[in-house]
């Protein structure tokens, strides 16, 4: 059974840094994409960062470009989100997501991330 477990959320002051981790388990194939999303109270969920697993290409929301970095470990089953120069508006629940085919590493639309697995989230609170 595929599971995504986030960790690393905390309360920090503005200007601080955090590193979120997403440990994925329950499969041996390679994902197409791994992503980080966030949702603040009263707001819609937004995509923060995307990693195309095979090629390592990344993409970021404009609001976090230059401050956040998504990366993966060599085994490609753990994804990180390094967050620097945090701002109060970064306060949200952060979720890890995977576009994953547990049966194999074939994806009909590899250029499109179709997330089908989600973690439970980890809270990030940034105070001014």
């Amino acid at each position: 059974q595929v599971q995504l477990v986030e960790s690393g959320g905390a309360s920090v002051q503005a200007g601080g840094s955090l590193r979120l981790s997403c440990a994925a388990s329950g499969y041996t194939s390679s994902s197409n994409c791994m992503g980080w999303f966030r949702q603040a109270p009263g707001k819609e969920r937004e995509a923060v960062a995307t990693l195309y697993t095979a090629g390592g290409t990344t993409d970021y929301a404009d609001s976090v470009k230059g401050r956040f970095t998504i990366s993966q470990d060599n085994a490609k089953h753990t994804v990180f989100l390094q967050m620097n120069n945090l701002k109060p508006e970064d306060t949200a629940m952060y979720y890890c997501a995977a576009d994953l085919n547990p049966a194999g590493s074939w994806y009909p639309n590899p250029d499109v991330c179709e997330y089908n697995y989600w973690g439970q989230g980890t809270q990030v609170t940034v105070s001014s």
Side-chain angles (χ1 to χ4, degrees):
Q1 182 177 359
V2 176
Q3 285 190 320
L4 303 180
V5 179
E6 303 96 333
S7 62
S11 295
V12 298
Q13 289 191 329
S17 298
L18 284 175
R19 190 193 197 201
L20 305 184
S21 298
C22 172
S25 61
Y27 66 99
T28 57
S29 58
S30 294
S31 62
N32 182 38
C33 308
M34 297 292 293
W36 286 97
F37 291 75
R38 67 186 181 186
Q39 187 167 21
K43 294 187 178 181
E44 293 187 355
R45 185 178 63 194
E46 65 170 333
V48 174
T50 301
L51 173 67
Y52 290 85
T53 306
T57 302
T58 59
D59 192 23
Y60 299 93
D62 288 341
S63 59
V64 307
K65 281 181 180 177
R67 300 189 297 121
F68 290 12
T69 303
I70 186 171
S71 62
Q72 61 185 354
D73 71 357
N74 290 335
K76 300 181 181 179
H77 281 192
T78 301
V79 177
F80 306 99
L81 185 67
Q82 178 66 42
M83 305 186 296
N84 298 327
N85 190 23
L86 283 161
K87 303 176 180 181
E89 52 263 43
D90 294 320
T91 295
M93 185 71 77
Y94 283 71
Y95 298 91
C96 174
D99 173 4
L100 173 65
N101 175 10
S105 300
W106 180 80
Y107 297 91
N109 300 302
D111 293 336
V112 178
C113 296
E114 300 175 334
Y115 296 105
N116 54 346
Y117 293 96
W118 295 82
Q120 294 299 307
T122 185
Q123 178 67 38
V124 172
T125 303
V126 184
S127 58
S128 58

